[in-house]
Amino acid sequence: MSVTEQPEGGPRRQSRQRNAVLALLDELDGFRSAQDLHALLRERGDSVGLATVYRALQALVDDGQLDVLRSTDGEAAYRRCSSSHHHHLVCRSCGRTVEVADPPVERWAARIAAEHGFVDVQHDVEVFGTCAACAAARA
Amino acid sequence: MSVTEQPEGGPRRQSRQRNAVLALLDELDGFRSAQDLHALLRERGDSVGLATVYRALQALVDDGQLDVLRSTDGEAAYRRCSSSHHHHLVCRSCGRTVEVADPPVERWAARIAAEHGFVDVQHDVEVFGTCAACAAARA
DNA sequence: GTGCTCATGAGAATCATTCTCCCACGCGGA
DNA sequence: TCCGCGTGGGAGAATGATTCTCATGAGCAC
């Protein structure tokens, strides 16, 4: 979500593990922690090192192919995302997410920052709630 | 920022250390990590254990007297805050913060959530930038 | 195929945070 | 004022996520 550099790390080398991580993220649709992803890969017989998962995730984040989210318990969660700027609506119960791109918030953030003399602005917005399906299931 | 319970933990016992933490936070105006606060207390000769600082901070958060922020590197940062709902404008360089309470975002979050059938909604919004002073100093 | 790199894997290292255990102080009652 | 209970405090160990190290193995250009 940061709009910083992308110093071009050269043509990233292909590898089974990196593809596996990306493929896994492609078929999941909520935010998953690195530990989760690692466990899932192992479960399905893909022998991948934990460190490798972290490296792959970081590389993908650098490439703008993933979004990261820090949960309140300090774990980082990753999700395959469109690369354009957007925010998330996350279901607290099932982890399902919806991408939200809405000009009003962008303008709001810019205005607030300008009013206080801040420059070089960037913002983080996440909305948590219970999705319709989970709310119904719980009732 | 969560609007959960506050089960009333009984009349919290007074103590030098707890007051020291609160006093320190009162005179600082940016977000500080627990480690920072602990180091600062030690520096000024206040012998306080690290665990105690964490305990005090958690107690204060529970009481709604502090706001917590998880930075991207996984460290939690604390700040003395008004207890009403608001968001922050944080200077990336000096850590200075401005509290922002603005109905438009609240409405935006509620609307977005409603549009997707989400209920029981809560949101996190933080705006990072470089404050006027730091921008000037850097130029 | 050859060689140069960069990626990988296992485990150690690091870092923030929490837990454990035990001691000491605050506070209410005698 | 003195006593005893219970909570708060300190030190250091434990935990858990993430990163680093280093030797080995796999892409990719020629």
Side-chain angles (χ1 to χ4, degrees):
Chain A
M1 220 153 279
S2 52
V3 199
T4 42
E5 32 44 59
Q6 189 153 331
E8 221 283 299
R12 244 175 241 301
R13 201 173 279 187
Q14 262 326 44
S15 89
R16 182 180 59 77
Q17 294 85 340
R18 221 160 264 206
N19 292 333
V21 169
L22 200 50
L24 180 58
L25 279 162
D26 263 334
E27 61 185 84
L28 300 171
D29 70 339
F31 276 90
R32 301 302 181 118
S33 72
Q35 308 275 345
D36 263 11
L37 293 169
H38 177 239
L40 282 170
L41 286 173
R42 293 243 137 163
E43 245 175 51
R44 59 175 64 181
D46 249 323
S47 158
V48 184
L50 181 56
T52 304
V53 173
Y54 276 103
R55 274 186 292 238
L57 289 171
Q58 273 194 337
L60 290 166
V61 169
D62 287 348
D63 285 359
Q65 297 183 63
L66 293 186
D67 266 7
V68 206
L69 207 60
R70 285 254 165 203
S71 59
T72 42
D73 66 341
E75 229 182 346
Y78 301 84
R79 181 183 193 272
R80 188 75 198 267
C81 274
S82 67
S83 55
S84 64
H85 181 80
H86 61 270
H87 300 293
H88 296 104
L89 185 52
V90 186
C91 176
R92 213 182 267 119
S93 159
C94 68
R96 195 164 70 83
T97 59
V98 179
E99 287 189 12
V100 179
D102 217 56
V105 236
E106 316 298 326
R107 270 189 262 115
W108 173 82
R111 178 172 58 79
I112 286 295
E115 274 175 15
H116 294 277
F118 278 59
V119 297
D120 191 16
V121 180
Q122 167 198 352
H123 57 277
D124 274 346
V125 178
E126 306 297 341
V127 185
F128 300 93
T130 306
C131 74
C134 291
R138 206 193 295 170
Chain B
M1 219 154 276
S2 51
V3 199
T4 43
E5 33 43 59
Q6 190 155 330
E8 220 284 300
R12 244 176 241 301
R13 198 175 281 187
Q14 268 315 56
S15 88
R16 182 180 59 78
Q17 293 85 341
R18 220 159 265 204
N19 292 333
V21 169
L22 200 51
L24 180 56
L25 278 162
D26 264 333
E27 62 185 83
L28 300 171
D29 69 340
F31 276 90
R32 299 304 179 118
S33 71
Q35 309 276 343
D36 263 10
L37 293 170
H38 177 238
L40 282 169
L41 286 172
R42 293 243 137 164
E43 245 174 51
R44 58 176 65 182
D46 250 323
S47 158
V48 184
L50 181 55
T52 303
V53 173
Y54 277 102
R55 273 186 294 236
L57 289 171
Q58 274 194 335
L60 291 166
V61 169
D62 287 348
D63 284 359
Q65 297 184 62
L66 293 185
D67 266 8
V68 206
L69 206 62
R70 283 249 166 208
S71 59
T72 43
D73 66 341
E75 230 182 346
Y78 301 83
R79 180 182 193 274
R80 189 75 198 266
C81 274
S82 66
S83 55
S84 64
H85 181 80
H86 61 269
H87 300 293
H88 296 106
L89 184 52
V90 186
C91 176
R92 211 182 269 119
S93 159
C94 67
R96 196 164 70 83
T97 60
V98 179
E99 287 189 12
V100 179
D102 217 55
V105 238
E106 316 298 326
R107 271 189 260 113
W108 173 83
R111 178 172 60 77
I112 287 294
E115 275 175 16
H116 293 276
F118 278 59
V119 297
D120 190 17
V121 180
Q122 167 197 352
H123 58 276
D124 274 346
V125 178
E126 305 298 341
V127 184
F128 299 93
T130 307
C131 73
C134 290
R138 206 194 295 169

